[in-house]
């Protein structure tokens, strides 16, 4: 890992000699009519041996509930060391554009997408990403980063002959890296609210820590151009998290702010996930869920709205302290 990557979560944190490691960037796209959504995830996986190491691009369709995985040799992965730009064969990913050209016996995907006015996560020397000071802990199982909370799109993508028009659509970018995903987590994201320039992301997970574990949260809310952060290291408290059935209910409290989340999970498709660096796990993700959000500042309702075309995952059983 380069020194630049240590202080910038956007950049690539691995290398060809690192074992039991994964890194992936998550790009989500929704068309202007909010009828079609899809995500692509370029990344790398290095298992316990060189034979397990490879690069990949996963694909997830929201309206079709389909997914797929394209694998490539590790040497086909290239990343810029000074800015976020990733290439895998004929595919290119950055905060300015995405170029797709993937084909196998089942799926053919090709397209050019321009990213307009990305709201990039502010990078600070003392806080290189949404994880804040936890970014510098050398023993974390999984690290998380947000690249762009919200941006507009231009271009189109063709999937098996179906053209997805993305002009005027919405996009979002985040990433993960480390060894494995947590044993239990809830993750959700939407920037398709009725209010312009509004985006919400929430992750609650079981975090291994010095032989024990705790349930921590990362939450970001972009509203009217202002970014609000609600995180464990900032003193956020998880008052409630209920993942029973297809409803997910969460309440967070941080100083004078309270967040109420009532999400409805719809059917999704299967993605592969990292286990000790190897992409051998399986998770189910929806891209058509809904997130009803209320944000209070004291007794004042700061925001209320419903985000559609939401990404949502709920894995395992989260436990809160009494």
């Amino acid at each position: 890992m380069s020194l630049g990557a240590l202080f910038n979560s956007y950049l690539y944190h691995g290398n060809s000699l690192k074992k039991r490691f994964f890194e992936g960037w998550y790009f989500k796209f929704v068309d202007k009519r909010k009828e079609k959504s899809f995500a692509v995830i370029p990344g790398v996986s290095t298992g316990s041996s060189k034979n397990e190491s490879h690069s990949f691009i996963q694909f997830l369709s929201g309206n079709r509930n389909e997914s797929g995985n394209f694998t490539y040799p590790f040497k086909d992965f290239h990343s810029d060391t000074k800015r976020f730009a990733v290439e895998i064969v004929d595919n290119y990913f950055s905060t300015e554009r995405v170029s797709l050209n993937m084909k196998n016996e089942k799926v053919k995907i090709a397209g050019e997408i321009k990213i307009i006015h990305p709201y990039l996560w502010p990078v600070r020397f003392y806080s290189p990403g949404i994880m804040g000071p936890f970014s510098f802990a050398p023993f974390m199982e999984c690290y998380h980063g947000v690249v762009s909370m919200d941006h507009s799109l231009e271009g189109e993508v063709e999937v098996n002959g179906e053209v997805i028009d993305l002009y005027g659509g919405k996009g979002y970018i985040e990433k993960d890296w480390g060894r494995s995903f947590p044993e239990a987590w809830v993750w959700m994201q939407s920037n398709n609210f009725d209010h312009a320039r509004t985006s919400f992301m929430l992750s609650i997970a079981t975090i291994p820590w010095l032989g024990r574990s705790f349930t921590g949260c990362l939450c970001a809310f972009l509203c009217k151009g202002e970014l609000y952060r609600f995180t464990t290291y900032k003193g956020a408290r998880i008052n409630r998290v209920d993942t029973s059935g297809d409803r997910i209910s969460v309440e967070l409290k941080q100083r004078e702010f309270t967040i109420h989340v009532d999400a409805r999970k719809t059917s999704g498709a299967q993605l592969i996930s990292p286990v000790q660096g190897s992409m051998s796990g399986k998770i189910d993700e929806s891209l058509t869920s809904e997130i009803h959000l209320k944000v209070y500042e004291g007794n004042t309702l700061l925001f209320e709205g419903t985000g559609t075309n939401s990404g949502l995952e709920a894995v395992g059983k989260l436990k809160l302290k009494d």
Side-chain angles (χ1 to χ4, degrees):
M1 177 177 64
S2 68
L3 185 62
L6 179 63
F7 294 100
N8 189 332
S9 64
Y10 304 0
L11 301 180
Y12 176 51
H13 288 69
N15 58 60
S16 60
L17 301 178
K18 207 168 197 175
K19 293 183 178 180
R20 302 187 184 279
F21 176 83
F22 81 94
E23 188 157 5
W25 293 261
Y26 176 95
F27 287 74
K28 179 168 166 270
F29 309 92
V30 180
D31 75 328
K32 184 177 182 179
R33 294 184 177 182
K34 302 180 183 180
E35 295 174 348
K36 298 178 181 179
S37 58
F38 70 98
V40 289
I41 308 169
V44 294
S45 167
T46 62
S48 58
S49 67
K50 281 191 173 182
N51 293 333
E52 294 183 72
S53 300
H54 65 278
S55 57
F56 62 85
I57 303 174
Q58 293 197 69
F59 174 82
L60 175 65
S61 170
N63 50 300
R64 288 173 172 260
N65 283 346
E66 295 176 345
S67 61
N69 182 46
F70 298 82
T71 58
Y72 306 88
F74 187 91
K75 64 180 179 61
D76 288 340
F77 173 87
H78 302 281
S79 65
D80 196 298
T81 59
K82 296 182 179 180
R83 66 185 186 93
F84 170 48
V86 165
E87 290 183 77
I88 301 177
V89 190
D90 296 326
N91 302 275
Y92 178 85
F93 306 87
S94 74
T95 53
E96 292 86 34
R97 67 180 180 91
V98 173
S99 179
L100 301 174
N101 190 4
M102 300 175 283
K103 183 180 180 180
N104 60 24
E105 63 277 6
K106 294 182 179 180
V107 183
K108 181 180 179 181
I109 303 171
E112 296 286 337
I113 306 164
K114 189 175 181 181
I115 294 173
I116 311 296
H117 302 309
Y119 190 101
L120 300 177
W121 189 270
V123 174
R124 303 288 184 265
F125 180 82
Y126 55 87
S127 182
I130 191 172
M131 291 187 66
F134 282 105
S135 302
F136 300 109
F139 48 78
M140 299 289 286
E141 178 183 53
C142 183
Y143 300 84
H144 189 77
V146 174
V147 180
S148 173
M149 282 290 290
D150 180 67
H151 48 261
S152 299
L153 304 170
E154 291 182 358
E156 59 183 33
V157 173
E158 185 174 338
V159 181
N160 286 348
E162 178 190 12
V163 176
I164 302 175
D165 183 354
L166 292 173
Y167 284 90
K170 289 278 194 177
Y172 170 83
I173 311 169
E174 66 171 43
K175 65 172 297 191
D176 292 283
W177 72 98
R179 297 187 307 277
S180 302
F181 276 179
E183 67 176 36
W185 76 89
V186 168
W187 169 87
M188 62 182 74
Q189 183 279 328
S190 180
N191 53 334
N192 281 270
F193 293 86
D194 290 335
H195 310 72
R197 205 59 159 174
T198 301
S199 181
F200 177 75
M201 187 283 295
L202 170 67
S203 176
I204 300 175
T206 302
I207 312 297
W209 187 260
L210 300 176
R212 298 185 178 183
S213 66
F214 66 93
T215 300
C217 73
L218 297 172
C219 179
F221 176 50
L222 177 65
C223 180
K224 298 178 181 178
E226 186 170 356
L227 181 63
Y228 299 84
R229 285 166 262 199
F230 308 95
T231 63
T232 297
Y233 62 85
K234 281 182 167 287
R237 185 174 71 249
I238 307 167
N239 288 341
R240 183 179 69 254
V241 55
D242 184 357
T243 60
S244 58
D246 64 347
R247 312 296 297 198
I248 295 176
S249 177
V250 176
E251 181 181 293
L252 301 179
K253 176 75 174 176
Q254 181 175 293
R255 296 191 298 275
E256 70 273 24
F257 292 97
T258 305
I259 298 177
H260 296 276
V261 178
D262 180 19
R264 182 179 66 88
K265 189 179 189 298
T266 58
S267 60
Q270 201 169 75
L271 294 172
I272 56 175
S273 62
V275 179
Q276 291 298 313
S278 177
M279 302 301 288
S280 57
K282 295 179 180 180
I283 59 174
D284 184 80
E285 180 179 326
S286 164
L287 286 179
T288 57
S289 296
E290 290 186 352
I291 302 171
H292 186 72
L293 178 66
K294 289 183 180 180
V295 181
Y296 288 89
E297 186 174 6
N299 294 322
T300 302
L301 182 62
L302 184 68
F303 176 87
E304 181 174 8
T306 299
T308 62
N309 300 93
S310 305
L312 199 153
E313 300 170 359
V315 177
K317 184 68 174 177
L318 291 166
K319 297 180 181 178
L320 300 182
K321 289 185 178 180
D322 296 331

